[in-house]
Amino acid sequence: MASSISLLVLLLTNTALLALALRLILTVIRCRRNRKKAVGFFHPYTNDGGGGERVLWCAVKAIQEELPDLDCVIYTGDHRDATPQSLTARALDRFGVQLLCPPKVVHLYKRKWVEETSYPRFTMIGQSFGSVYLSWEALCKFTPLYYFDTSGYAFTYPVARAFGCKVICYTHYPTISLDMLSRVHSQSSMYNNDALIAKSVFLSRCKMIYYRLFSWMYGTVGSCAHLAMVNSSWTQSHIKKLWGIPDRIKRVYPPCDTSGLQMLSLKRPLDPQKIISVAQFRPEKAHNIQLEAFALALKKLDVEMPRPKLQFVGSCRNEADERRLQKLKDQAVELNVANDVEFHKNVTYSDLVSLLGGAVAGIHSMIDEHFGICVVEYMAAGAIPIAHNSAGPKMDIVLAEDGKQTGFLAQTIQEYADSIVKVVQMAEDERLTMAAAARKRASKFSEQKFFQDFKAAIQPIFSRSSE
């Protein structure tokens, strides 16, 4: 009797799985037949306010200029305030990008499956599998000829391939990097490697197995891209090793508003001198390091000197970011620098330009920042960069121009504090010389350069598809 029941349960289970598989296959076949002549941009967070969003709107504009017969469709989870008109206005107000026409919008309601808060443990793999579910919702609602991921969800590429789409991506940052594997192996504690795990040999070994498995999966799904654009030399080197498709990878530096910012005067108000920090209030941006360095720098300055001000400018994506911002404000009070620090949340593009135009320096402290758009913006605006000595800023941006220094690179709180002191105490002619060299260097990362390289990269994909 028991064996008969077990057999019946097994039969029903297999039947249910077969029915589900058949339903999925039929859905894919139906959607493939109904593909639209369009480019679908998978960007679940269209209000994050960062460099990724700027790339999205510049990519949309480039497609509209190069291929006006193709519709541009945005897949977004911001369904409350995301309409064709509001997104067009946002692109202009926040980033100065004038779209040729409003994009179409497909609202997604399963975005919680890619929220990091949904996965207290195994966050990477949880979000990655969650993105598969979210992309399924997206492609079932609207199936384009071209699927364009601008948010780094590589696990969605096999899904898009199954729906018959040409897969294009712009990768800002590998979901897992060889540096992350190295830190776990060396048991280094960071925001993405819990101190409890870092202290345990056994837990570190378990995490290494998890990371190696995930990196293999990441490489497999990433290789499904027909074209992978990357934003820096650092990202390019990692993606080449992980995805194994070097002939399909193109480096396209992200669009930085260098032309508008270069119109700003290099001369700055010096009473007080202002140091700006432009970054989303996310843990990896390490704002606390900047605050501690600034407090230390104030102690190093002569008491007779006017005290400089530190201006934090950034956006909050969710409640976690809001709490992080409040914690930063509390830290400023604890360090006795609250009167010397300003916080500017979710500012408009015009306000950002105004703030950049008043700063003598710009500070950045993210380790392994894939590129560093904010660093380029500092340089274009005439603010001397003080950036982390790794990845994009080190390899691509804060390099000598015509033999002249363009800024400072730092790693420790002490090094950041020393760099702040150097800028604040710098003679005016010396500061202007360095700022001018930095501005010239920044011109290599302009929006015009992005459009030129972006269009050259996508041209073979679209020309082959039209044949």
Side-chain angles (χ1 to χ4, degrees):
M1 182 66 176
S3 61
S4 298
I5 293 175
S6 298
L7 184 61
L8 179 61
V9 170
L10 181 61
L11 180 62
L12 290 174
T13 301
N14 289 339
T15 303
L17 291 174
L18 182 61
L20 177 60
L22 182 60
R23 182 179 177 183
L24 295 178
I25 292 171
L26 290 174
T27 298
V28 169
I29 292 173
R30 174 178 56 81
C31 291
R32 285 177 69 107
R33 288 175 176 172
N34 295 321
R35 282 176 299 168
K36 301 296 190 298
K37 193 176 181 181
V39 183
F41 290 86
F42 190 74
H43 202 101
Y45 297 91
T46 48
N47 65 346
D48 60 12
E53 190 182 346
R54 174 185 286 279
V55 168
L56 168 66
W57 300 127
C58 286
V60 171
K61 182 178 180 180
I63 294 290
Q64 289 179 341
E65 289 178 345
E66 194 74 1
L67 302 155
D69 58 327
L70 287 179
D71 287 331
C72 288
V73 179
I74 311 297
Y75 297 111
T76 175
D78 300 309
H79 44 83
R80 286 186 177 180
D81 57 355
T83 65
Q85 291 71 30
S86 67
L87 291 180
T88 301
R90 180 179 175 81
L92 182 61
D93 295 341
R94 294 296 296 271
F95 302 101
V97 178
Q98 177 68 67
L99 302 181
L100 275 63
C101 62
K104 294 182 179 180
V105 177
V106 173
H107 294 120
L108 305 178
Y109 294 88
K110 312 295 185 186
R111 194 176 70 178
K112 68 177 181 179
W113 295 106
V114 296
E115 293 276 0
E116 62 181 54
T117 53
S118 299
Y119 311 98
R121 290 288 181 268
F122 302 102
T123 307
M124 284 193 310
I125 202 163
Q127 288 182 292
S128 296
F129 284 135
S131 70
V132 172
Y133 186 38
L134 188 62
S135 66
W136 181 271
E137 178 195 5
L139 292 165
C140 283
K141 287 184 173 180
F142 185 91
T143 310
L145 286 175
Y146 305 95
Y147 174 88
F148 202 140
D149 168 47
T150 47
S151 295
Y153 292 105
F155 278 69
T156 67
Y157 305 167
V159 181
R161 289 283 290 253
F163 276 77
C165 306
K166 287 287 186 180
V167 179
I168 307 169
C169 66
Y170 189 94
T171 302
H172 302 269
Y173 194 83
T175 304
I176 187 169
S177 68
L178 303 177
D179 293 333
M180 291 168 65
L181 288 166
S182 175
R183 290 192 188 102
V184 175
H185 185 265
S186 62
Q187 296 182 247
S188 300
S189 177
M190 266 188 69
Y191 67 89
N192 57 2
N193 191 33
D194 190 89
L196 178 64
I197 295 175
K199 292 177 182 177
S200 169
V201 174
F202 174 73
L203 292 178
S204 292
R205 286 179 178 174
C206 290
K207 190 166 185 177
M208 272 299 296
I209 294 172
Y210 164 52
Y211 268 19
R212 289 189 184 281
L213 174 62
F214 184 84
S215 64
W216 173 80
M217 296 170 63
Y218 182 62
T220 301
V221 296
S223 67
C224 291
H226 292 92
L227 170 65
M229 285 177 274
V230 295
N231 68 341
S232 68
S233 301
W234 183 84
T235 303
Q236 185 175 27
S237 66
H238 283 275
I239 292 297
K240 275 186 175 181
K241 292 174 183 176
L242 289 165
W243 291 6
I245 51 171
D247 56 324
R248 284 179 265 159
I249 297 173
K250 304 294 181 184
R251 185 176 63 203
V252 178
Y253 289 125
C256 305
D257 180 25
T258 57
S259 58
L261 295 174
Q262 284 176 336
M263 300 300 292
L264 298 170
S265 172
L266 289 179
K267 293 187 177 181
R268 300 294 149 91
L270 301 179
D271 189 14
Q273 295 189 66
K274 295 173 183 175
I275 300 166
I276 194 170
S277 169
V278 181
Q280 294 172 322
F281 292 105
R282 288 157 45 187
E284 62 268 30
K285 297 300 182 180
H287 290 92
N288 60 309
I289 297 296
Q290 301 175 14
L291 199 54
E292 291 180 41
F294 180 71
L296 179 59
L298 291 181
K299 294 178 182 179
K300 291 174 174 284
L301 293 172
D302 294 336
V303 291
E304 295 82 9
M305 286 191 64
R307 291 167 71 91
K309 280 193 176 294
L310 176 61
Q311 300 175 315
F312 286 108
V313 184
S315 59
C316 291
R317 303 163 298 171
N318 47 40
E319 290 183 7
D321 287 354
E322 294 283 359
R323 290 193 296 270
R324 204 167 288 115
L325 173 57
Q326 184 56 52
K327 190 174 181 180
L328 200 61
K329 292 178 179 179
D330 295 339
Q331 185 183 5
V333 174
E334 293 170 5
L335 292 171
N336 296 316
V337 295
N339 293 332
D340 304 299
V341 180
E342 299 175 357
F343 296 90
H344 302 265
K345 185 182 76 171
N346 298 335
V347 301
T348 64
Y349 178 73
S350 59
D351 287 340
L352 172 61
V353 171
S354 178
L355 289 166
L356 285 168
V360 296
I363 191 168
H364 158 279
S365 53
M366 178 178 169
I367 297 175
D368 290 338
E369 173 74 87
H370 33 93
F371 179 70
I373 286 181
C374 68
V375 180
V376 175
E377 290 178 337
Y378 298 157
M379 296 164 73
I384 294 173
I386 303 171
H388 195 275
N389 190 21
S390 64
K394 177 183 180 180
M395 297 172 69
D396 291 315
I397 304 174
V398 189
L399 304 179
E401 185 68 24
D402 295 334
K404 297 176 182 176
Q405 185 177 354
T406 59
F408 299 93
L409 294 171
Q411 285 183 289
T412 66
I413 292 174
Q414 182 69 52
E415 289 175 350
Y416 274 104
D418 290 343
S419 296
I420 291 172
V421 171
K422 286 179 183 177
V423 173
V424 172
Q425 294 182 338
M426 195 177 289
E428 180 68 357
D429 58 344
E430 183 183 357
R431 185 189 68 80
L432 289 174
T433 298
M434 187 178 294
R439 173 169 284 180
K440 185 176 181 180
R441 177 72 191 165
S443 64
K444 301 182 186 300
F445 311 106
S446 66
E447 282 190 359
Q448 290 73 22
K449 179 64 173 171
F450 170 83
F451 285 125
Q452 177 185 331
D453 293 347
F454 180 92
K455 291 175 181 179
I458 66 171
Q459 196 275 331
I461 297 294
F462 288 92
S463 62
R464 281 200 297 267
S465 299
S466 62
E467 291 174 357

